[in-house]
Amino acid sequence: MIKSLLGSVCHRPLTVACHCSIRFTTTGGFTILAVLDLTGASSTDFNAYWSEGDASAGIASRIKPYQAVSSLQYLRNGSIIMDFQLAAITAVLLLYGVFFAVGALAGRGRSGDFDELLLANRTLTLPIGVLTMVATWVGGGFLNGTAEAVFDPNRGLLWAQAPWGYALSLVLGGLFFAGRMRRAGYRTLLDPFEHSYGTRVTVLLYIPALLGEIFWSAAILVALGTTFGIILNFDPTVSILISSVVVVGYTMIGGLRSVAYTDALQFLLILGGLGAAVPYVLDQVGGLAGLVREYTSSFGPAARPWPVIALGGGSGDGSRWIWSWIDSALLLIFGGIPWQVYFQRVLACKNEKIAVHLSIVAGFGCLVAAVPAVLLGASGAVADWSTIPAGAPESPALVLPHVLRYLTPPVVAVIGLATIGAAVMSSVDSSILSASSQFCWNVYRPLAQAASPVCLNRVFRLGILGAGLAATLLALKVQSVYSLWFLCSDLVYVCLL
């Protein structure tokens, strides 16, 4: 019936705009209403492309030349479930409202004390500490960057080093640095430098630390912008600006305590959101066994998480690039240690024992959180995108939102979008808090000398605003999430370690 309807419309080439509404049922039981642009189509062109058969068995590929020009409505049993774009935007805005409320309530009545803003009065418990630590590392850059590397045919799983590299950095930080820093009662990462070398050296060291935090935050905001653009066809600039306003708002209100409690909620949403998407995506690529088989066949040695070097002069993966691989791994492992976002949580723990345990448990948490991103990125690499109207992702950086949008049901896609939004906020809030903390305590306080607590609080909040603004502006200019991710680690690795 659809063929007859469209064929009658396209009895001759159309030289004026012509939009035609159709309704068809997908294999998932959803009925989709779409508006197709038939301008310039003819019955000959259309009939040559159309193949007979049940609409539910491949309608998406058969209407590929006639892309939808309006948002889709999804129905089941004849009842409209949602307009996808409207539902997704509404869900994300509601979620942002919840995050802001949680952050504001957590910091309510406590914002007058500078130590409260900076370190939550050193009252961080192990459960909240682990959740906020993992959520800080598992941001939009972590998720999108991991999926990007796994999907990219020039890199593959072999070069997706950041998840396990940063996980090892947390474990090593806990074993060798967390206990000592907490025992000494420091307030920031730069305190040992200030005590040993004075204010001038500390101010110089703050510059790479600040740039690292801003690059990190910008990379994460880029991940959010691409997600909104792919899943919702929503202006990335607007999505980045809205997210920045919300994050800066609740971070300014309550400092570390607000960030910690929102992080805990955001990490639970990250696990739930991506966990819900994985079964649907795996079903599209033949299950886990089919994914492993196809990915290994397509990527060869790059499908392994580490290179295999032949011993005794035999053939193997070992070659000159192995040194580049090792260098990148060391950069991520050791470049992930000297970060204020890490030590801020370590120094906020109740005691030295919790600080050590927090770091080690959070390292394993990062590995667990990376699994869904790896599976979704690999699935995107082996999926048959020729059956999807939108086709394959335009670039590896877009694979995660692309997979969520086109390989999962609409409700799951909305949850996935909310997950990316939560991941972005959980990292951006920590980064801008970190940049402001070091500026206020290690730069402004020594230079201003007898600064009052009220003045410190004011400068602290202005620092959050300034760092958020800088990261937002940079996010509007960058292209690759993974490149910024490496750049921020490189700065800290070379200058601060």
Side-chain angles (χ1 to χ4, degrees):
M1 183 179 70
I2 300 173
K3 175 186 173 184
S4 299
L5 172 62
L6 294 180
S8 64
V9 172
C10 301
H11 64 279
R12 59 185 177 82
L14 298 171
T15 58
V16 296
C18 177
H19 297 162
C20 179
S21 297
I22 67 169
R23 176 184 300 192
F24 56 89
T25 303
T26 68
T27 54
F30 287 93
T31 299
I32 299 181
L33 297 179
V35 180
L36 304 182
D37 187 353
L38 304 179
T39 305
S42 68
S43 59
T44 301
D45 296 335
F46 184 81
N47 288 330
Y49 191 80
W50 185 271
S51 61
E52 295 291 347
D54 179 33
S56 63
I59 185 70
S61 64
R62 294 196 289 272
I63 66 171
K64 186 173 181 179
Y66 312 106
Q67 296 294 326
V69 296
S70 72
S71 58
L72 301 182
Q73 292 178 322
Y74 294 81
L75 302 86
R76 189 184 290 276
N77 299 327
S79 300
I80 294 179
I81 294 178
M82 69 177 73
D83 176 279
F84 179 79
Q85 186 178 37
L86 177 61
I89 293 175
T90 301
V92 171
L93 290 178
L94 288 174
L95 192 61
Y96 280 14
V98 171
F99 292 155
F100 187 86
V102 170
L105 289 174
R108 186 178 61 178
R110 300 173 180 265
S111 58
D113 186 353
F114 179 71
D115 276 345
E116 169 64 29
L117 290 174
L118 185 66
L119 297 173
N121 278 331
R122 301 191 193 268
T123 58
L124 212 59
T125 61
L126 183 60
I128 294 296
V130 169
L131 290 176
T132 183
M133 183 74 82
V134 178
T136 296
W137 289 105
V138 183
F142 184 101
L143 299 175
N144 278 46
T146 298
E148 174 187 340
V150 173
F151 173 85
D152 191 343
N154 296 319
R155 288 182 283 179
L157 181 61
L158 177 65
W159 289 93
Q161 301 169 295
W164 58 264
Y166 281 144
L168 281 177
S169 75
L170 288 173
V171 174
L172 292 176
L175 294 176
F176 296 103
F177 299 102
R180 296 179 181 180
M181 292 286 286
R182 180 63 184 87
R183 190 185 316 125
Y186 294 131
R187 283 184 168 86
T188 72
L189 166 67
L190 295 179
D191 276 359
F193 297 97
E194 183 179 350
H195 292 166
S196 300
Y197 304 108
T199 301
R200 293 183 179 180
V201 172
T202 304
V203 171
L204 290 176
L205 290 175
Y206 172 68
I207 296 174
L210 172 64
L211 293 176
E213 298 291 3
I214 291 176
F215 288 153
W216 173 270
S217 299
I220 299 166
L221 287 171
V222 169
L224 177 75
T226 56
T227 300
F228 272 71
I230 291 297
I231 295 183
L232 295 180
N233 195 28
F234 194 69
D235 186 357
T237 299
V238 176
S239 61
I240 289 173
L241 291 175
I242 293 175
S243 302
S244 298
V245 168
V246 174
V247 168
V248 170
Y250 70 71
T251 305
M252 290 178 67
I253 291 175
L256 179 60
R257 192 176 300 274
S258 292
V259 169
Y261 279 89
T262 53
D263 280 354
L265 173 61
Q266 288 155 357
F267 179 65
L268 296 177
L269 288 172
I270 291 169
L271 287 183
L274 293 186
V278 167
Y280 291 98
V281 175
L282 289 180
D283 187 56
Q284 300 285 335
V285 295
L288 182 59
L291 171 62
V292 173
R293 181 176 59 254
E294 292 297 325
Y295 190 79
T296 302
S297 175
S298 300
F299 281 75
R304 291 189 292 257
W306 49 78
V308 175
I309 305 175
L311 300 178
S315 61
D317 293 339
S319 58
R320 292 180 179 178
W321 60 262
I322 190 65
W323 300 110
S324 177
W325 187 91
I326 293 173
D327 182 59
S328 297
L330 292 176
L331 182 154
L332 292 167
I333 294 170
F334 296 107
I337 295 176
W339 285 85
Q340 170 66 10
V341 292
Y342 166 65
F343 282 103
Q344 192 150 21
R345 283 145 185 79
V346 166
L347 298 174
C349 290
K350 286 185 174 181
N351 54 56
E352 177 183 343
K353 183 178 179 180
I354 292 178
V356 174
H357 291 169
L358 159 69
S359 303
I360 296 173
V361 175
F364 287 100
C366 284
L367 284 179
V368 172
V371 172
V374 170
L375 293 175
L376 295 176
S379 297
V382 304
D384 184 6
W385 291 105
S386 65
T387 62
I388 307 296
E394 296 179 1
S395 73
L398 303 177
V399 63
L400 183 59
H402 207 80
V403 166
L404 291 172
R405 173 64 180 89
Y406 295 107
L407 297 185
T408 63
V411 174
V412 178
V414 171
I415 296 174
L417 176 65
T419 293
I420 301 298
V424 167
M425 288 194 168
S426 67
S427 293
V428 173
D429 56 10
S430 300
S431 289
I432 62 177
L433 178 69
S434 165
S436 177
S437 299
Q438 293 177 102
F439 173 77
C440 187
W441 184 254
N442 297 111
V443 177
Y444 176 78
R445 177 190 55 84
L447 296 178
Q449 296 182 352
S452 66
V454 174
C455 186
L456 287 176
N457 288 353
R458 185 180 299 114
V459 172
F460 182 82
R461 290 188 168 94
L462 289 175
I464 292 173
L465 180 62
L469 179 61
T472 301
L473 293 175
L474 183 61
L476 300 177
K477 300 294 182 181
V478 296
Q479 299 295 325
S480 173
V481 173
Y482 209 77
S483 297
L484 270 179
W485 209 12
F486 261 95
L487 179 59
C488 64
S489 289
D490 207 4
L491 266 173
V492 176
Y493 180 48
V494 172
C495 298
L496 292 183
L497 188 62

